[in-house]
């Protein structure tokens, strides 16, 4: 049995009281304490017996996300081990699920231990798809997880009724116990586990009335808070497997090129601790007895590479640059595909009193996450494969890993540790992932291998947010109000690149989101999608298309206001006349900021400041943002961000607040500083010294107001970001008179108006 342990010194028990992670059987057997109610996968029964025991003799294949037996293990001490369909990466999903299930199960969320479930059909809880992303986890599973808890509670009540010989209706529950108040008797959930396991679950269990919620809607402390605060949280880079080799990698300088020769391979093999040197697709790797030795060896390699192709998505040419790519987006004349159309834009422009035009762009962005990419691959003696890797789609990674390894998917076990951040980094982006390298090296060396990319390799290989460009034309009436709007979104998005075969839409939603479905009452509108392919490896980035498109749209809306002699806040209020939800939110953010004032004005500290406002509708939630800025040495300084968010309904307001604050910081970092620059086919920044990110000095105060409108539940992880760039840029325009249409702001030298 292979033992996987954290690299840091461990207590006898692993974080959260878990036993050390061990190699699982092919069916993903979880360690089962004697007498536990295993509402979980992997009983050592034949399939027919397992199905009969869990679901009854007439059972049929369960609907994903409904079988209690796939998710919960109630232990003898009445604590619960939950196998989550989602990956925890700082967004707080483990705590949110514990609150949601615990509410209906009647068990304190603090008594939950949560791990990411292995690949399996039970966890495809949303339309047969399992994914942690798109700010979708809580809202997609809320009702299903409530029902899961309620169903488990009902099974425990039935088991208790039989044991106490009383009617089930005479029983109630209280934080992990079944109570028979008439006789004063009580049974802990752990005592009922074995009996409850034998009962088939019901599918008609009622859910709690929300007015009786005890934990849902409360700022319950995060389950991972203690481990993260004490350094006990275990990430992929903290794990090791007995006997494993460490691998460092150097990638080709141009995407799509391959190693040709290594001039000093023999000398590198002779370096201390070196095990072997390997040619990989687009890279060369060195394995050694420590990662530091592997890295020093790989840095010493003298590799010659094939020449990059002239054109095409498979390779980045030696002449490619981000400046040239933006020029191609700007100059394209190909017709677009209508993504949205309302009214008669042509007629609106024909009769316009004034026409306003502008073009906006936003750069390539790196994920620049603190956790460097890594993966551990270990082939077992039976030929099966264990993989420990950060990911957001376990089943997808299982399928791809199986192809790389030459195995059937059920012979590949994916272990999904806590992520050191999401931001869209942990999807599959071809060469931008280390796990295929780990598989190939483990197969070649016949040893477990951990691949860990250096910071420089990560910056060089990270899949980037696409370069974005949009062109606007607005028609204004005699009263200065917009009567027509034409928009063209030009470029390529990650949905079309990586999921085009699934969604099969001619319009890539990740290119147009944030430009379409706006709540403003502009009667005549047309939005076109113009696809221009980009040869670099593009990716999802926090809030995806919204991260740039809301900047484009909301900034241009301020230009419309200026051209029409309107205050930008008042214009938005007028255009939201048919949307009370949005008007309420906009007024709420103004109240949070102490009232709307555009400026420029003099602050209490004597600095000259101004404010900008924006709105965004990302991932099922609505946000309104106000930013207050000043200038210092020609740079914008953001003092305050006020953000009102309406996600419809909230599970944990403390997590919502922290997620909005974190998203705002990332949005501000992109607004002020971040850009990936290509010259000569290569990225110029290979570490944080050349890719500055937001520092403590630039971090403003952030105040968050949560508005629960009762609308369908929206997302949380990403919606706080898109409103920040336009609010800041609109404030800069109010302060300086300069309209910045290209991010980041660090490219512009600003001066007072």
């Amino acid at each position: 049995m292979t033992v996987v342990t954290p690299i840091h010194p461990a207590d006898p028990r692993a974080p959260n009281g878990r036993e050390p992670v061990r190699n699982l059987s092919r069916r993903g057997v979880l360690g089962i304490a004697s007498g536990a109610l295993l509402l979980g996968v992997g009983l050592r029964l034949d399939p027919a017996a397992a199905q009969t025991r869990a679901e009854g003799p007439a059972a049929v294949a369960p609907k994903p996300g409904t079988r209690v037996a796939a998710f919960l293990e109630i232990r003898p001490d009445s604590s619960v081990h939950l196998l989550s369909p989602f990956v925890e990466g700082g967004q707080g999903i483990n705590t949110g699920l514990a609150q949601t299930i615990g509410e209906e199960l009647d068990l304190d969320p603090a008594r939950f231990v949560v791990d990411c479930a292995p690949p399996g059909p039970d966890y495809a809880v949303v339309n047969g798809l399992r994914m942690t992303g798109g700010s979708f986890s809580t809202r997609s599973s809320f009702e299903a997880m409530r029902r899961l808890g309620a169903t488990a509670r009902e099974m425990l009540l039935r088991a208790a009724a039989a044991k106490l010989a009383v009617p089930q209706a005479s029983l109630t529950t209280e934080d992990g116990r079944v109570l028979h108040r008439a006789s004063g008797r009580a049974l802990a959930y752990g005592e009922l586990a074995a009996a409850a396991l034998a009962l088939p679950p019901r599918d008609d269990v009622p859910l709690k009335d929300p007015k009786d919620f005890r934990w849902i809607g409360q700022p319950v402390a995060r389950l991972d808070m203690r481990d993260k605060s004490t350094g006990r949280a275990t990430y992929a880079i903290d794990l090791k497997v007995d006997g494993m080799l460490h691998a460092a990698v150097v990638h080709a300088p141009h995407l799509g090129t391959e190693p040709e020769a290594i001039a000093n391979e023999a000398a590198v093999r002779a370096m201390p601790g070196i095990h072997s040197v390997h040619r990989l697709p687009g890279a060369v790797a060195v394995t050694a007895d420590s990662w530091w030795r592997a890295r020093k060896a790989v840095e010493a390699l003298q590799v010659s590479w094939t020449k990059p192709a002239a054109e095409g998505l498979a390779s980045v040419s030696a002449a490619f640059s981000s400046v040239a790519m933006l020029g191609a987006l700007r100059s394209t004349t190909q017709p677009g595909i209508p993504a949205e159309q309302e009214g008669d834009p042509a007629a609106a422009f024909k009769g316009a009193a004034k026409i306003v035009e502008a073009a906006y762009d936003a750069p390539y962005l790196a994920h620049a996450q603190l956790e460097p990419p890594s993966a551990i691959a270990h082939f077992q003696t039976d030929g099966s494969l264990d993989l420990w890797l950060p990911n957001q789609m376990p089943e997808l990674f299982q399928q791809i890993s199986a192809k790389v390894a030459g195995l059937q998917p059920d012979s590949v076990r994916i272990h999904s540790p806590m992520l050191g951040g999401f931001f869209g980094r942990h999807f599959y982006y071809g060469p931008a992932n280390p796990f295929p390298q780990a598989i190939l090296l483990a197969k070649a060396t016949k040893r477990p291998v951990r691949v860990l990319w250096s910071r420089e390799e990560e910056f060089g290989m990270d899949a980037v947010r696409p370069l974005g460009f949009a062109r606007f034309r607005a028609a204004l009436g005699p009263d200065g109000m917009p009567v027509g709007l034409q928009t063209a979104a030009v470029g390529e998005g990650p949905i079309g690149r990586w999921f085009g075969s699934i969604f099969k839409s001619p319009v890539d939603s990740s290119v147009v989101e944030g430009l379409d479905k706006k709540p403003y009452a502009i009667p005549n509108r047309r939005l076109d999608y113009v696809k221009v392919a980009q040869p670099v490896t593009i990716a999802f980035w926090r809030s995806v298309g919204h991260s740039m498109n809301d900047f484009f749209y909301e900034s241009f809306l301020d230009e419309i206001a200026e051209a029409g002699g309107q205050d930008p806040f008042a214009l938005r209020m007028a255009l939201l006349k048919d949307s009370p939800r949005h008007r309420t939110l906009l007024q709420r953010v103004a109240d949070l900021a102490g009232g709307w004032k555009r400026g420029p004005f003099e602050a209490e500290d004597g600095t000259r400041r101004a404010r900008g406002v924006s709105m965004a509708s990302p991932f099922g939630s609505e946000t309104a943002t106000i930013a207050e800025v000043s200038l210092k040495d020609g740079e914008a300084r953001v003092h305050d961000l006020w953000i009102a968010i309406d996600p419809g309904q909230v599970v944990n307001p403390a997590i919502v607040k922290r997620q909005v604050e974190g998203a705002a910081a990332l949005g501000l970092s992109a607004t002020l500083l971040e850009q990936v620059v290509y010259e000569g086919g290569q990225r110029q920044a290979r570490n944080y010294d050349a890719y500055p990110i937001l520092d403590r000095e630039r971090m403003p105060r952030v105040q968050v107001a949560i508005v629960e409108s009762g609308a369908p539940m929206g997302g949380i992880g990403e919606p706080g970001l898109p409103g920040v760039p336009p609010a800041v840029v609109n404030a800069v325009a109010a302060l300086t008179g300069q309209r910045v249409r290209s991010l980041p702001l660090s490219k512009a030298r600003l001066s007072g108006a």
Side-chain angles (χ1 to χ4, degrees):
M1 179 176 291
T2 301
V3 178
V4 180
T5 56
I7 288 176
H8 51 69
D11 292 333
R13 298 181 65 84
N16 294 319
R18 294 191 293 272
E19 297 296 331
V21 182
R22 302 182 187 279
N23 180 44
L24 307 179
S25 75
R26 285 199 176 187
R27 293 192 59 80
V29 177
L30 306 173
I32 305 172
S34 176
L37 166 56
L38 179 65
L39 303 174
V41 298
L43 289 172
R44 289 188 181 275
L45 303 171
D46 66 86
Q51 179 129 337
T52 299
R53 189 171 185 182
E55 307 293 341
V60 295
K63 179 182 177 181
T66 62
R67 188 164 64 96
V68 177
F71 296 88
L72 298 177
E73 175 193 348
I74 300 180
R75 293 168 168 170
D77 64 356
S78 298
S79 66
V80 169
H81 181 206
L82 166 65
L83 282 179
S84 167
F86 307 108
V87 184
E88 176 64 64
Q91 83 279 39
I93 187 61
N94 286 359
T95 304
L97 289 179
Q99 285 181 254
T100 304
I101 297 171
E103 185 69 71
E104 299 289 351
L105 183 57
D106 202 359
L107 187 70
D108 190 335
R111 299 173 72 177
F112 279 69
V113 173
V114 187
D115 288 303
C116 182
D122 278 297
Y123 309 109
V125 295
V126 186
N127 298 324
L129 177 68
R130 181 186 183 188
M131 178 188 73
T132 308
S135 301
F136 205 55
S137 299
T138 299
R139 57 181 169 138
S140 67
S141 64
F142 183 63
E143 291 299 322
M145 294 299 104
R146 285 185 64 193
R147 189 161 300 282
L148 186 74
T151 302
R153 176 179 177 272
E154 194 280 332
M155 293 168 68
L156 290 160
L157 285 168
R158 266 189 287 155
K163 188 166 186 175
L164 297 175
V166 298
Q168 183 175 337
S170 68
L171 299 174
T172 188
T173 59
E174 183 179 277
D175 194 17
R177 297 187 304 158
V178 178
L179 307 178
H180 186 247
R181 298 191 186 277
S183 64
R185 290 178 291 173
L187 294 170
Y189 284 178
E191 297 177 68
L192 298 166
L197 176 62
L199 301 173
R202 287 175 47 192
D203 59 5
D204 60 347
V205 179
L207 302 180
K208 261 189 181 182
D209 189 319
K211 68 180 177 60
D212 297 324
F213 282 168
R214 179 179 177 186
W215 288 297
I216 291 176
Q218 298 302 312
V220 171
R222 288 182 57 136
L223 301 183
D224 54 5
M225 183 184 302
R226 182 178 180 84
D227 285 350
K228 287 184 174 179
S229 300
T230 58
R232 305 301 310 163
T234 302
Y235 301 91
I237 61 173
D238 297 318
L239 301 173
K240 65 179 180 181
V241 173
D242 292 343
M244 78 178 186
L245 293 168
H246 299 261
V249 180
V250 59
H251 292 94
H254 292 88
L255 181 67
T257 60
E258 300 294 338
E260 276 189 326
I262 304 173
N264 61 339
E265 182 170 347
V268 169
R269 290 180 186 273
M271 293 174 68
I274 301 306
H275 179 273
S276 50
V277 178
H278 302 266
R279 291 166 175 79
L280 298 172
V284 176
V286 175
T287 60
D289 58 7
S290 76
W291 185 77
W292 182 250
R293 284 177 163 175
R295 180 182 178 181
K296 297 306 291 183
V298 89
E299 289 175 344
L301 289 172
Q302 298 173 10
V303 185
S304 58
W305 306 88
T306 59
K307 294 188 181 303
E311 300 289 346
L313 289 176
S315 178
V316 174
S317 74
F320 177 80
S321 72
S322 44
V323 170
M325 188 71 241
L326 178 58
L329 300 183
R330 285 182 171 276
S331 62
T332 184
T333 57
Q334 65 187 76
I337 301 171
E340 184 180 60
Q341 186 161 345
E342 184 74 26
D344 189 346
F349 277 89
K350 186 176 180 180
K354 182 183 288 188
I355 293 177
V356 185
E357 297 182 304
Y360 284 79
D361 65 82
Y364 292 117
L365 291 181
H367 294 94
Q369 61 181 35
L370 187 60
E371 178 191 25
S374 67
I376 298 175
H378 182 23
F379 285 92
Q380 304 294 338
T381 55
D382 64 357
S384 62
L385 173 63
D386 280 276
L387 275 172
W388 291 263
L389 73 157
N391 73 88
Q392 293 177 238
M393 297 184 74
E395 283 76 12
L396 174 64
F397 279 73
Q398 182 187 46
Q399 294 284 338
I400 295 168
S401 299
K403 291 180 180 179
V404 174
L407 299 172
Q408 292 300 312
D410 61 2
S411 292
V412 178
R413 289 171 294 278
I414 299 292
H415 308 270
S416 304
M418 185 184 301
L419 302 177
F422 274 97
F423 324 123
R425 176 64 183 93
H426 299 296
F427 289 105
Y428 178 70
Y429 301 120
N433 294 272
F435 73 93
Q437 297 171 340
I439 295 170
L440 295 175
L441 292 172
K443 180 178 283 191
T445 61
K446 297 181 170 48
R447 294 267 298 274
V449 174
R450 183 180 70 174
V451 173
L452 175 63
W453 284 4
S454 68
R455 186 70 65 196
E456 290 75 14
E457 294 306 315
E458 161 65 351
F459 267 91
M461 290 300 294
D462 182 19
V464 294
R465 188 192 74 171
L467 190 66
F469 176 74
R471 191 179 293 112
F472 295 91
R473 294 181 74 235
L476 307 188
D479 58 356
M481 296 295 289
V483 295
L485 180 65
Q486 291 181 338
T487 309
V490 186
E492 183 184 14
I495 286 182
R497 173 75 70 91
W498 301 108
F499 295 96
S501 61
I502 297 175
F503 295 104
K504 300 184 184 303
S505 171
V507 175
D508 186 338
S509 61
S510 59
V511 176
V512 300
E513 61 186 7
L515 299 171
D516 65 347
K517 303 180 178 67
K518 303 296 282 190
Y520 302 118
I522 301 175
N524 305 288
R525 307 184 307 277
R526 176 173 173 134
L527 167 63
D528 286 336
Y529 161 60
V530 182
K531 181 177 180 178
V532 176
Q534 305 185 28
V536 301
T537 306
I538 60 173
F540 296 96
W541 194 87
R542 194 169 185 174
S543 76
V544 201
H546 285 278
S547 67
M548 62 182 87
N549 288 337
D550 282 297
F551 157 61
F552 299 162
Y553 191 104
E554 291 288 314
S555 297
F556 185 65
L557 193 58
D558 262 37
E559 293 202 58
I560 291 174
E562 183 176 358
Q566 307 280 334
D567 174 84
F569 185 91
L571 175 65
R572 285 171 172 82
M573 275 294 193
L575 293 176
L576 296 172
K577 59 184 176 64
D578 299 324
S579 181
R581 181 185 183 189
H582 292 90
R583 285 178 61 92
T584 297
L585 194 64
L586 190 57
Q587 187 60 56
R588 182 69 181 91
V589 78
D591 294 342
L592 186 66
W596 166 251
K597 53 180 178 179
R598 189 180 186 221
F601 55 86
E602 184 174 308
E604 292 182 359
D605 63 358
T607 58
R608 186 169 177 272
R609 301 184 183 183
R611 291 180 176 180
V613 64
S614 70
M615 299 196 76
S617 304
F619 305 95
S621 292
E622 302 292 336
T623 65
T625 304
I626 292 176
E628 183 170 303
V629 309
S630 69
L631 292 185
K632 182 179 179 181
D633 300 327
E635 295 182 354
R637 295 286 170 160
V638 182
H639 300 275
D640 290 277
L641 289 170
W642 296 276
I643 303 174
I645 181 169
D646 176 3
Q649 183 180 358
V650 169
V651 172
N652 189 314
I655 289 177
V656 172
K657 184 173 183 290
R658 297 295 181 262
Q659 282 292 292
V660 172
E661 290 170 341
L666 191 56
L668 184 57
S669 185
T671 305
L672 298 179
L673 300 164
E674 295 185 40
Q675 61 175 328
V676 170
V677 176
Y678 284 86
E679 292 180 8
Q682 299 184 46
R683 299 181 194 178
Q684 300 306 291
R686 299 303 293 263
N687 211 320
Y688 292 109
D689 60 338
Y691 189 88
I693 61 175
L694 194 72
D695 52 48
R696 291 176 63 88
E697 183 183 356
R698 289 184 172 93
M699 184 65 197
R701 293 179 293 268
V702 181
Q703 297 184 51
V704 179
I706 300 171
V707 179
E708 292 190 76
S709 64
M713 183 180 287
I716 292 301
E718 294 161 287
L721 189 151
V724 172
V728 171
V729 172
N730 287 340
V732 167
L735 184 64
T736 67
Q738 294 175 252
R739 173 56 61 180
V740 177
R741 301 188 181 96
S742 178
L743 293 182
L745 285 173
S746 59
K747 296 189 300 185
R749 185 70 180 176
L750 303 174
S751 60

